[in-house]
Amino acid sequence: MHWIFYMIIGAVIVWLLLTVLIVCKLFFGSLGRKKEKKTGVDTSGLVASLEPYKAEIEEGKKWFYSQNLRKAEITAFDGITLHADILETKQPPKGVLLLMHGYRSAGLSDFNLVFPYYLNLGYHLIIPDQRGCGRSGGKYITLGIKERYDCQAWANFAVGEFGSDLPLILDGISMGATTVMMASALPLPKNVSGIIADCGFTSPDEVVRSVLKATHIPTVPNLFFARILARTLAKFDFKDASTIDAMKKCHYPIVFIHGKKDDFVPYEMSVRNFEACASENKKFFSDDNAGHGMCYLERREELQKELEIFLDECQKYYHERKDLK
């Protein structure tokens, strides 16, 4: 009978080893830095649904590189070097927009077609590469946990670059939206006057669980081992921060954007973020047919009008606070 016992023990050991190997592959493949391309820009954020806009996106890239771009560099709280591009408006400046891109993407991928719109409205643009992406340092993406402090650092940089006499609005898409929302709970410059959150998730822990479920990978024990790897190698835990908790403290004007056909970050996550948000000035823009990060493309004119109204409200918020001083 002993052989049965040893077979069971052996099978368990083999199962655990296979599980660890699979989790390691998923962890490094999902959160580890990708090998950089020799030429071009990281367009990993592009998906099949963007195919109808391919020509327009390519024109947008050419336009971007034809602009008078300035480069910026800062040091993050943990010593890594972060990089960004700066585009200055030719209009009388009304404010500054800090644009945080999404998971494994780049500012040029995620905000390509919105750059001219924001510049024409009179906003300077700061477009960072998130840690673990593009030119910025860091071996791992941390799903907003460490990125929120990077966002805080870029906000302070924006004040040093353009002064505090211009409103500063934090704008993010996907993981970038989670980044700016979680950053809103940190001490920020006094001229921060609004947040634009496009398809952000409720917490790193919940979005990891959601992705595992969508890909039919059991949460137990895979998430347990993934958390061990995250704590050991990347020095963070999926439960270190929550967007929901940050929203409970949010007092800035904020607009939530999310397509109802998002198959990456569930639409309901933005609904829950909206419901948790304590701000007296919060709005929600959605589209029944838009996928992940697609609302601006699917409903461009309507969303541009909504954003222009919202940015005017951010201006009002900034000036009211300034007058109170």
Side-chain angles (χ1 to χ4, degrees):
M1 296 296 292
H2 290 295
W3 63 272
I4 297 177
F5 172 77
Y6 291 127
M7 283 186 66
I8 293 173
I9 293 298
V12 170
I13 292 173
V14 170
W15 174 75
L16 285 173
L17 287 173
L18 286 174
T19 299
V20 171
L21 287 173
I22 292 170
V23 170
C24 285
K25 184 176 181 179
L26 289 171
F27 179 83
F28 290 111
S30 299
L31 300 181
R33 175 183 281 278
K34 292 194 308 180
K35 291 182 179 179
E36 303 297 335
K37 297 179 180 180
K38 292 183 180 180
T39 58
V41 65
D42 179 11
T43 56
S44 56
L46 301 181
V47 293
S49 55
L50 291 177
E51 188 62 28
Y53 304 96
K54 186 176 180 180
E56 190 178 5
I57 289 170
E58 289 302 319
E59 285 301 313
K61 290 180 190 177
K62 293 177 183 177
W63 173 88
F64 180 80
Y65 287 123
S66 72
Q67 301 303 300
N68 185 24
L69 293 171
R70 289 198 291 114
K71 306 296 182 183
E73 179 183 300
I74 63 172
T75 302
F77 72 97
D78 55 354
I80 71 170
T81 302
L82 302 173
H83 292 266
D85 291 311
I86 298 176
L87 268 176
E88 294 188 41
T89 182
K90 296 177 181 178
Q91 308 296 327
K94 295 172 63 177
V96 182
L97 275 156
L98 175 58
L99 306 174
M100 305 300 288
H101 69 73
Y103 170 76
R104 282 207 180 285
S105 193
L108 184 53
S109 295
D110 288 350
F111 297 101
N112 184 303
L113 301 181
V114 80
F115 291 149
Y117 168 71
Y118 281 151
L119 289 171
N120 289 335
L121 288 180
Y123 286 87
H124 299 311
L125 308 181
I126 300 176
I127 313 155
D129 287 345
Q130 295 249 47
R131 63 172 53 223
C133 300
R135 299 157 298 171
S136 288
K139 294 181 179 180
Y140 301 100
I141 295 167
T142 67
L143 301 176
I145 298 293
K146 293 184 179 180
E147 288 84 354
R148 59 186 165 145
Y149 296 110
D150 300 339
C151 181
Q152 180 189 42
W154 282 117
N156 289 326
F157 167 85
V159 173
E161 189 73 13
F162 295 110
S164 59
D165 290 332
L166 290 173
L168 174 60
I169 292 91
L170 312 182
D171 186 346
I173 185 168
S174 189
M175 188 188 80
T178 297
T179 298
V180 299
M181 285 189 284
M182 290 201 294
S184 73
L186 303 176
L188 292 173
K190 293 181 180 180
N191 64 324
V192 171
S193 303
I195 298 170
I196 299 170
D198 189 341
C199 59
F201 43 85
T202 47
S203 74
D205 182 68
E206 286 196 5
V207 80
V208 169
R209 290 175 183 274
S210 176
V211 170
L212 288 174
K213 182 179 178 181
T215 51
H216 307 291
I217 298 174
T219 304
V220 179
N222 294 296
L223 184 57
F224 171 76
F225 288 119
R227 290 181 66 192
I228 291 176
L229 282 174
R231 288 196 295 265
T232 305
L233 299 176
K235 309 301 180 185
F236 82 103
D237 191 292
F238 300 132
K239 293 188 176 183
D240 281 344
S242 160
T243 317
I244 294 286
D245 290 343
M247 288 296 91
K248 291 177 181 177
K249 303 174 184 177
C250 180
H251 58 83
Y252 302 107
I254 180 168
V255 58
F256 298 85
I257 303 167
H258 212 131
K260 292 185 179 180
K261 288 192 176 179
D262 193 330
D263 57 3
F264 184 59
V265 176
Y267 167 78
E268 290 73 19
M269 286 194 174
S270 275
V271 173
R272 289 172 56 203
N273 287 333
F274 176 84
E275 291 173 345
C277 183
S279 174
E280 294 181 356
N281 186 348
K282 58 181 181 179
K283 297 184 175 183
F284 201 117
F285 183 95
S286 65
D287 181 77
D288 291 341
N289 299 307
H292 187 63
M294 293 293 293
C295 282
Y296 185 82
L297 296 177
E298 299 285 357
R299 299 271 301 281
R300 194 175 314 186
E301 290 186 7
E302 296 97 323
L303 186 49
Q304 283 181 345
K305 290 176 182 177
E306 291 295 328
L307 286 173
E308 192 165 354
I309 292 170
F310 176 74
L311 290 171
D312 286 344
E313 292 175 356
C314 293
Q315 292 281 336
K316 182 180 178 182
Y317 176 85
Y318 167 78
H319 289 291
E320 285 177 349
R321 292 181 72 197
K322 190 176 180 181
D323 291 342
L324 284 174
K325 295 176 187 177

